[in-house]
Amino acid sequence: MDPDYLPFHPSPKVPDFKVPAGAVDAHCHVFGPADTFPYSPKRKYTPCDAPKGKLFALRDYLGFSRNVIVQASCHGTDNAALVDALQAAGDLARGVAVVSPDVSDEELRAMDAAGVRAVRFNFVKRLVDATPKEVFTGIAERIAKLGWHIVVYFEAPDLEALIPFLESLPTVIVVDHMGRPDVTKGTDHPDFQRFVDLLARNDNIWTKVSCPERLTVAGPPYTDVVPFARHLVETFPTRVLWGTDWPHPNMKSHVPDDGQLVDVIPQIAPTSALQQALLIDNPMRLYWPDQA
Ligand code: 0GY
């Protein structure tokens, strides 16, 4: 592991907030273990191993029923660790893969059989080298035929330039971590309003109200991030997802306590109806539509 990055929390608190039965952690990762699933030679960071068994144990400990596991940049376009975790989880996990344009239809079908339901397009410059838009467009057309959707990760200053591309994509789009707003600017700031307007204009665009641990300036208990997430949950209750982001790669400021992250949920989704949509109905509709 890179020496300046912190490992994940060894013993999170039992959350005070009891998540409803059937809840989905819709953003988490598996890393390695490196001796079985080596990290990409092109990676920009080396995480600590965070194998599937630890993720499933955390799921049970926090009271969640299901996971959506997202391929992170440190594994590049080799989705082997992700597929292995999906197969081990059976019906209790779905996946978001990262694929190269030369992925074969057979490989896509095999990932689909394992539970992959989306691809991730990453625009965060510290995490990946830039991919030309035409490459992403070609992948989008292919995965749309499988009924998959697209997860996008970018930072707020890059949104304006990305809007025409995002609005051209043919599937549901899920934006990671609320488009990574600068929380010192407030929810009225034009940067955040640009993101809100994007969702208001496009009913195929969803977002994850996740990652207070990355967005916070004040630190735990993340009250500076709550207004952003709450605004999105209340404005777009049928198009929001929530995830732990375990094992929190690239954290330098503090080690997030996953139990404390769960305790943020009732602040951003203050009614049981909003919690039911955020934690169960929305992720089930997107990732387990046959059971929703
Ligand atoms: C996340 C966040 C990060 C890392 C990745 O693909 C990745 O490596 O997503 C990050 O550093 O912001 O989504 O968990």
Side-chain angles (χ1 to χ4, degrees), residues 178 181 183 187 192 196 207-210 212 215 222-237 240-242 264-271 274-275 278:
M178 305 186 271
V183 299
T187 55
F192 187 63
V196 173
T207 191
K208 292 176 197 159
V209 287
S210 46
L215 302 174
Y222 312 119
T223 44
D224 54 344
V225 185
V226 166
F228 294 82
R230 183 164 172 162
H231 184 79
L232 292 168
V233 168
E234 290 181 332
T235 312
F236 308 106
V240 283
L241 302 171
W242 187 89
V264 179
I265 294 172
Q267 299 171 57
I268 66 179
T271 67
L274 289 172
Q275 292 161 11
L278 176 66

Side-chain angles (χ1 to χ4, degrees), residues 76-259:
T77 55
D78 178 353
N79 295 280
L82 169 67
V83 166
D84 173 69
L86 294 176
Q87 288 171 337
D91 197 43
L92 298 184
R94 294 286 185 262
V96 178
V98 175
V99 301
S100 71
D102 53 13
V103 66
S104 68
D105 288 338
E106 198 184 340
E107 287 169 302
L108 290 175
R109 276 195 299 273
M111 282 191 266
D112 186 70
V116 172
R117 294 291 181 269
V119 288
R120 192 185 201 203
F121 295 166
N122 193 334
F123 296 94
V124 177
K125 298 177 185 85
R126 72 185 158 78
L127 293 173
V128 287
D129 297 328
T131 299
K133 300 272 182 356
E134 316 78 75
V135 170
F136 281 145
T137 304
I139 292 171
E141 282 164 9
R142 292 180 62 202
I143 61 94
K145 293 185 192 134
L146 290 164
W148 291 10
H149 61 273
I150 297 166
V151 172
V152 290
Y153 192 21
F154 58 81
E155 295 181 319
D158 298 321
L159 171 59
E160 192 166 12
L162 278 173
I163 285 176
F165 171 71
L166 297 177
E167 292 190 325
S168 77
L169 290 172
T171 66
V172 164
I173 301 163
V174 182
V175 178
D176 277 341
H177 315 334
M178 305 186 271
R180 290 202 63 128
D182 176 346
V183 299
T184 64
K185 289 181 171 165
T187 55
D188 292 338
H189 191 278
D191 285 355
F192 187 63
Q193 285 306 318
R194 184 178 296 117
F195 183 59
V196 173
D197 290 347
L198 178 72
L199 268 69
R201 273 200 312 278
N202 298 278
D203 63 10
N204 65 322
I205 303 188
W206 298 37
T207 191
K208 292 176 197 159
V209 287
S210 46
C211 268
E213 80 280 15
R214 292 181 194 288
L215 302 174
T216 188
V217 175
Y222 312 119
T223 44
D224 54 344
V225 185
V226 166
F228 294 82
R230 183 164 172 162
H231 184 79
L232 292 168
V233 168
E234 290 181 332
T235 312
F236 308 106
T238 60
R239 289 187 270 146
V240 283
L241 302 171
W242 187 89
T244 53
D245 186 40
W246 186 88
H248 316 284
N250 299 320
M251 286 299 293
K252 292 182 183 171
S253 59
H254 67 287
V255 175
D257 178 326
D258 297 280

